[in-house]
């Protein structure tokens, strides 16, 4: 029931603060690394009497099934510790209005939470306790194991999740995709030994980043963090996220979903990592292409043709690599036409490079909306955590506006020519077979684009 | 807790204005609520309120040729709109420097929205895509719409908000112009501004842009009360996309105005039952075993105090086997019985309300959301303050005794139970005929 603004796949931004100059975000109040390798980034943003907590622990899940083990460990982290039952742990958190959740993929474990400002020290203590010694009793593990297996299975019925899995296979091949994507069977077979092993191997302080944003005194927060997390074991060296390889363009993969009344289109092309000096130009080109409501793709596919409610482009970043993503959900009967429009717009990026007017609009949107989106401490905390994970500095948000100002129209034109070539694009279409018949290449399951 | 100071204005044309400056931050939020929604749209024109929202999103005539949202985005902001039971809201967040521009854009579309045949046709197609995305092509897409359909009887209270296909196909510009004339006058609107501004400056800007809008009468449909259900209403929905069966339960909530204390007790009860890892239906002897996922909340969209019509407390659980639906219902009944008989332990009540309170305060951290929530309660109840006061009212005002009474009340009332059964025979949006009476 919303007007469905072009979906921005990015998650970054800025914050409002005393003394902010025209959308230029303040630097974090503190950014330091403890002796065990834990980096701590703290921002004072007293909008409401809460503190937002984000912890990212990077690693590489490499063994088969390991990502399922990491996900189960993430389910268990907010549910007690070696010394505290799930009930006691939850009651202790709730007493401060606090919530902690954890999730994991093949590259990182992320804890997301918030607490009333005055509960920060005890809540951090509970987090540190669970991190160092999660509750791995069979009584604690068994129900979560079953829940996770069911959840992974349920996700396969969501068309968007189905598309995401298929796209991973399309981009990186079966072997890598199998390593990065858990199966319900792997979750169901995960033992307490498996959990203890991934805990020892991956959940060390080295390289982890703790971000605190909200109603806090930075010096005081640092003292607490040092005291509570200083004894966290560093863990093995060199456990860094795997950088995904470059992938070639090529035919789209059809994933059959009989009876689907709408087709899920997900396209991808290799782009520049967030840390690359060319990234801001790519970002502006992407906003002109499909990353804003005024963009060419949204204007044509939604506001001209009415082919989609939710669509757009964005850049998905992981450590060392980024992917340009193009998404649209369109009625079965519009699938072929919508794909043709997307292709035309990709081609037009080279034939008709972004104009000065388009670039200016993209630039002011990129800088301003970042600051606007990050005016909530929760959004700022998530944005900082994501940016630090992909390897840019804590000053990225502060410098985002000037970085964009330094991009010339030629650089945007160059990015438009280089990264939007249809030949470099691959992807998936989750659709009823009848929707894609004209595109089918024999019975290979491949679709022409 | 909030640092916002509320300032109210009523302009001569009837427009109500709420200004809520906050010294922390550099952004502003603007929300314009019109007091018409999918429950109060004209009879026989289902879906018109939502379609009109899409048309208004284009902006006013002054915003052409690029339209409303590209202008907002170029100023470094973002915006969206929602159609709810009794209100339609247009909201944006932007750097503080964009305040006057946002006022101008909102006044522009309040004066003369840019309506065209062409955009009407396009947006009808976009809405068709929206319905496919949100309802027809996903598992359990009929949730939550099936619950009011099962529980209520009056036609305005059982609509799904998107509208009947036959109605949607019949809309023309004349109808949209009449809808605008009847429901979008300044006297039927509330403008709310939050964030980094000085209230005197904001007042001047609001007056400059909205004061010369002509007043006009508002058509407000009669809203007869929805009778309480007299028996449990059950219905089964065949769901072609569901991998596992699911069950949804809806209870009629107390009236948010005349039974405010009871309404608030239901918020806490819902949190006790299903919010947080250690909620009653998740742990212990009364846990809803067999549920793969479970959520409990108040309000059709999970937002309390967002309608003056019949409101719902809802539960939704996906479960492994068909028979588990009855186990979920048994667990629910058993838990409500226990809560009605024995007051919840004081520590658990405190912990539950503390979490609810921090969750509610968290929503207020974003100026755009704050503008929406303040304006919503102003438009519905004339009580913008309620949004600020809610955390404290729940924290200090809801006792174990209140919660016991709420549990007993739910147990004594007649609910709707909707079962989602994986199956292919039905057209996804069709629901068993006895419920659409």
């Amino acid at each position: 029931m919303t007007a469905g603004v072009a979906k921005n796949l990015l998650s970054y931004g800025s914050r409002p603060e005393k003394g902010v100059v025209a959308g230029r975000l303040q630097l974090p109040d503190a950014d330091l690394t403890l002796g065990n390798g834990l980096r701590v980034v703290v921002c004072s943003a007293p909008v409401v009497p809460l503190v937002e907590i984000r912890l990212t622990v990077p690693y590489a899940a490499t063994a088969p099934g390991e990502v399922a083990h990491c996900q189960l460990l993430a389910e268990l982290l907010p549910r007690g510790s070696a010394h505290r039952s799930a009930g006691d742990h939850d009651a202790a958190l709730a007493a401060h209005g606090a919530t902690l959740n954890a999730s994991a993929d093949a590259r990182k474990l992320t804890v997301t939470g918030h607490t009333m400002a005055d509960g920060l020290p005890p809540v951090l203590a509970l987090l540190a306790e669970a991190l160092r010694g999660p509750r791995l009793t069979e009584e604690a593990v068994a129900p979560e194991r079953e829940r996770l297996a069911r959840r992974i299975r349920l996700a396969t019925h969501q068309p968007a999740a189905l598309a995401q899995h298929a796209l991973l296979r399309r981009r990186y091949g079966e072997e890598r995709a199998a390593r990065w994507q858990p199966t319900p069977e792997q979750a169901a077979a995960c033992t307490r030994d498996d959990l203890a092993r991934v805990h020892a191997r991956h959940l060390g302080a080295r390289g982890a980043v703790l971000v605190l944003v909200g109603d806090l005194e930075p010096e005081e927060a640092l003292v607490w963090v040092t005291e509570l997390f200083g004894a966290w074991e560093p863990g093995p060296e060199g456990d860094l996220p795997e950088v995904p390889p470059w992938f070639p363009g090529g035919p789209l993969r059809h994933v059959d979903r009989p009876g689907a009344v709408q087709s899920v289109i997900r396209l991808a092309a290799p782009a520049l990592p967030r840390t690359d000096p060319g990234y801001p130009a790519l970002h502006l080109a992407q906003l002109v292409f499909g990353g804003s409501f005024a963009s060419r793709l949204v204007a044509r596919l939604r506001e001209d043709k009415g082919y989609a409610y939710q669509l757009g482009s964005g850049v998905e970043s992981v450590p060392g690599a980024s992917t340009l993503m193009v998404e649209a959900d369109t009625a079965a009967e519009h699938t072929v036409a919508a794909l043709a429009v997307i292709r035309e717009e990709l081609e037009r990026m080279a034939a008709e490079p972004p104009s000065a007017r388009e670039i200016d609009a993209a630039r002011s949107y990129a800088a301003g909306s970042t600051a606007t989106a990050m005016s909530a401490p929760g959004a700022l905390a998530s944005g900082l955590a994501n940016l630090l994970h992909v390897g840019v500095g804590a000053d990225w948000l502060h410098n985002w506006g000037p970085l964009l100002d330094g991009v010339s129209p030629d650089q945007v034109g160059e990015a438009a020519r280089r990264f939007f070539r249809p030949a470099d694009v691959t992807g998936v279409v989750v659709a009823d077979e009848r929707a894609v018949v004209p595109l089918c290449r024999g019975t290979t399951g491949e679709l022409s684009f | 807790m909030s640092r916002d100071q509320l300032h109210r204005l009523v302009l001569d044309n009837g427009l109500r204005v709420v200004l809520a400056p906050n010294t922390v931050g550099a952004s502003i939020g603007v929300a314009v609520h019109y007091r018409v929604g999918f429950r109060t749209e004209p009879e026989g024109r289902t879906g018109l309120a939502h379609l009109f929202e899409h048309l208004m999103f284009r902006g006013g005539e002054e915003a052409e040729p690029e339209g409303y949202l590209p202008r907002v985005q170029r100023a470094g902001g973002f915006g969206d709109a929602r159609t709810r039971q009794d209100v339609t809201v247009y909201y944006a967040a932007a750097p503080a420097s964009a305040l006057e521009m946002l006022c101008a854009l909102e006044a522009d579309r309040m004066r003369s929205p840019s309506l065209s045949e062409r955009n009407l046709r396009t947006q009808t197609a976009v809405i068709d895509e929206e319905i496919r995305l949100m309802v027809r092509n996903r598992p359990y897409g009929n949730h939550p719409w099936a619950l009011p359909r099962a529980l209520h009887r009056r036609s305005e209270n059982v609509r799904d908000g998107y509208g009947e296909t036959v109605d949607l196909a019949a809309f023309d510009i004349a109808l949209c112009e009449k809808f605008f004339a009847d429901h979008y006058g300044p006297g039927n609107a509330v403008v709310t501004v939050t964030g980094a501004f000085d209230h005197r400056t904001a007042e001047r800007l609001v007056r400059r842009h909205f004061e010369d809008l002509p007043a006009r009468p508002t058509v407000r449909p009669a809203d007869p009360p929805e009778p309480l259900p007299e028996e449990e209403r059950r219905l089964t929905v065949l769901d072609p996309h569901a991998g596992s069966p699911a069950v949804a339960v809806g209870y009629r909530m107390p009236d948010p105005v005349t039974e405010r204390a009871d309404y608030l007790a239901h918020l806490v009860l819902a949190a006790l039952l299903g919010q947080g890892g250690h909620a009653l239906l998740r742990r212990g002897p009364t846990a809803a075993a067999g549920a793969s996922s479970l959520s409990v909340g108040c309000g059709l969209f999970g937002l309390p105090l967002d309608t003056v019509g019949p409101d719902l407390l809802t539960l939704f659980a996906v479960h492994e086997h068909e028979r588990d639906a009855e186990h979920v219902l048994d667990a629910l009944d058993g838990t409500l019985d226990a809560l009605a008989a024995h007051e919840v332990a004081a520590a658990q009540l405190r912990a539950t309300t503390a979490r609810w309170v921090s969750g509610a305060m968290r929503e207020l951290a974003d100026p755009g959301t704050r503008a929406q929530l303040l304006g919503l309660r102003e438009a519905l109840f004339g009580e913008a303050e309620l949004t600020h006061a809610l955390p404290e009212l729940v924290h200090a005002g809801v006792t174990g005794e209140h919660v016991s009474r709420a549990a007993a009340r739910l147990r004594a009332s007649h609910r709707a139970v909707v079962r989602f059964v994986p199956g292919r025979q039905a057209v996804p949006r069709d629901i068993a005929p006895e419920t659409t009476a």
Side-chain angles (χ1 to χ4, degrees), chain A residues 1-3 5 16 46 52 87 90 97-98 116 144 150 257 261-262 292-293 304 307 331 333 364-365 368-369 372, chain B residues 3 25-26 73-74 76 79-82 95 118 129-130 132-133 137 162 241 243 278 283 290 292 355 358 361-362:
Chain A
M1 301 302 298
T2 78
V5 175
E52 296 286 341
D90 191 70
M116 299 296 291
E144 296 311 320
R150 284 188 193 177
R257 190 162 176 264
V261 295
Q262 195 172 47
S292 65
F293 198 77
D304 182 33
Y307 283 168
E333 58 270 30
S364 43
Y365 173 54
S369 69
T372 304
Chain B
R3 295 168 178 82
Q73 291 194 335
R74 195 147 42 85
D80 208 338
R82 293 174 202 280
R118 184 179 158 71
E129 295 288 354
E130 181 179 355
R132 288 173 199 242
L133 184 77
N137 202 44
Y162 296 110
H241 304 298
H278 218 76
R283 301 283 150 171
S292 308
R355 249 193 198 142
S358 69
M361 288 198 303
R362 195 162 182 257

Side-chain angles (χ1 to χ4, degrees), chain A residues 103-123:
Chain A
S103 62
D105 58 29
R107 291 185 185 84
K108 63 180 187 304
L109 182 141
T110 308
V111 179
T112 304
H114 62 268
T115 175
M116 299 296 291
D118 54 10
L120 184 59
V123 168

Side-chain angles (χ1 to χ4, degrees), chain A residues 72 75-76 79 86 135-151 187-188 190 192 195, chain B residues 277 282-284 287-293:
Chain A
L72 184 54
E75 295 297 321
L76 286 158
R79 299 183 196 282
R135 193 166 187 82
L136 302 182
T137 61
E138 188 56 30
E139 187 200 4
V141 172
E144 296 311 320
R145 179 162 46 209
E146 192 183 344
R147 249 162 51 98
L148 177 62
R150 284 188 193 177
R151 222 187 50 215
C190 182
R192 292 162 60 197
L195 292 168
Chain B
R282 290 226 169 77
R283 301 283 150 171
S292 308
S293 74

Side-chain angles (χ1 to χ4, degrees), chain B residues 107-297:
Chain B
D108 178 28
R109 62 180 165 185
M110 194 181 286
R111 177 180 294 111
S112 50
S114 176
L115 305 176
S116 70
E117 258 324 318
R118 184 179 158 71
N119 196 33
L120 173 62
R121 280 197 306 276
T122 310
Q123 293 307 318
T124 304
V126 170
I127 288 169
D128 178 65
E129 295 288 354
E130 181 179 355
I131 295 169
R132 288 173 199 242
L133 184 77
M134 306 305 287
V135 180
R136 295 180 55 205
N137 202 44
R138 63 161 55 168
Y140 322 117
N142 276 300
H143 180 67
W145 305 113
L147 281 175
R149 244 179 234 203
L151 192 64
H152 304 326
R153 282 294 175 264
R154 296 195 52 83
S155 67
E156 67 271 24
N157 294 328
V158 303
R159 286 173 201 157
D160 73 2
Y162 296 110
E164 301 296 326
T165 313
V166 52
D167 288 351
L168 280 170
F171 295 151
D172 58 23
I173 288 293
L175 200 60
C176 294
E177 280 170 348
K178 170 138 177 53
F179 184 78
F180 175 74
D182 288 347
H183 302 287
Y184 273 68
N188 206 31
V190 176
V191 171
T192 309
V193 187
T194 58
F197 61 85
D198 168 75
H199 76 90
R200 279 173 297 265
T201 310
E203 176 175 345
R204 206 166 54 242
L205 293 178
V206 166
R207 288 191 183 280
R208 180 185 299 163
H209 291 280
F210 290 93
E211 208 155 41
D212 64 346
L213 286 165
R216 56 175 196 264
T218 289
V219 176
R220 187 72 64 85
D223 188 7
E226 170 71 38
L228 288 172
E230 285 164 351
E231 76 268 295
E232 178 165 302
R233 292 170 181 168
R234 289 205 171 213
L235 106 96
T236 299
V237 177
L238 282 174
D239 190 320
H241 304 298
S244 295
V247 61
V249 185
Y251 293 93
R252 182 75 175 270
M253 294 268 289
D255 187 275
V257 176
T258 60
E259 302 172 290
R260 178 70 55 83
D262 287 323
Y263 189 102
L264 298 178
H266 280 63
L267 300 182
V268 176
L269 175 59
L272 271 170
L273 289 171
Q275 294 168 16
H278 218 76
L280 294 171
L281 291 176
R282 290 226 169 77
R283 301 283 150 171
T286 54
S292 308
S293 74
L294 179 138
S295 59
V296 183

Side-chain angles (χ1 to χ4, degrees), chain A residues 146-204:
Chain A
E146 192 183 344
R147 249 162 51 98
L148 177 62
R150 284 188 193 177
R151 222 187 50 215
I152 297 171
R153 205 174 292 126
L154 275 181
T156 60
H157 297 278
Q158 293 289 349
L162 206 57
Q164 203 188 339
H165 298 178
L167 186 60
L168 200 63
R169 290 198 297 276
R170 190 70 184 148
R171 285 151 74 190
Y172 302 118
E174 297 296 334
E175 186 270 333
R176 275 201 188 79
R179 247 184 310 128
W180 292 348
Q181 197 69 55
T183 67
E185 293 75 23
Q186 289 163 348
C190 182
T191 65
R192 292 162 60 197
D193 283 348
D194 292 330
L195 292 168
R197 202 158 37 235
V198 292
H199 180 257
R201 183 179 298 167
H202 296 314
L203 280 207

Side-chain angles (χ1 to χ4, degrees), chain A residues 52 64 76 104 147 181 209 224 266 389 401 411 423 425:
Chain A
E52 296 286 341
L76 286 158
R147 249 162 51 98
Q181 197 69 55
V209 181
W224 294 329
R266 298 289 183 268
H389 175 66
Q411 288 169 316
V425 170

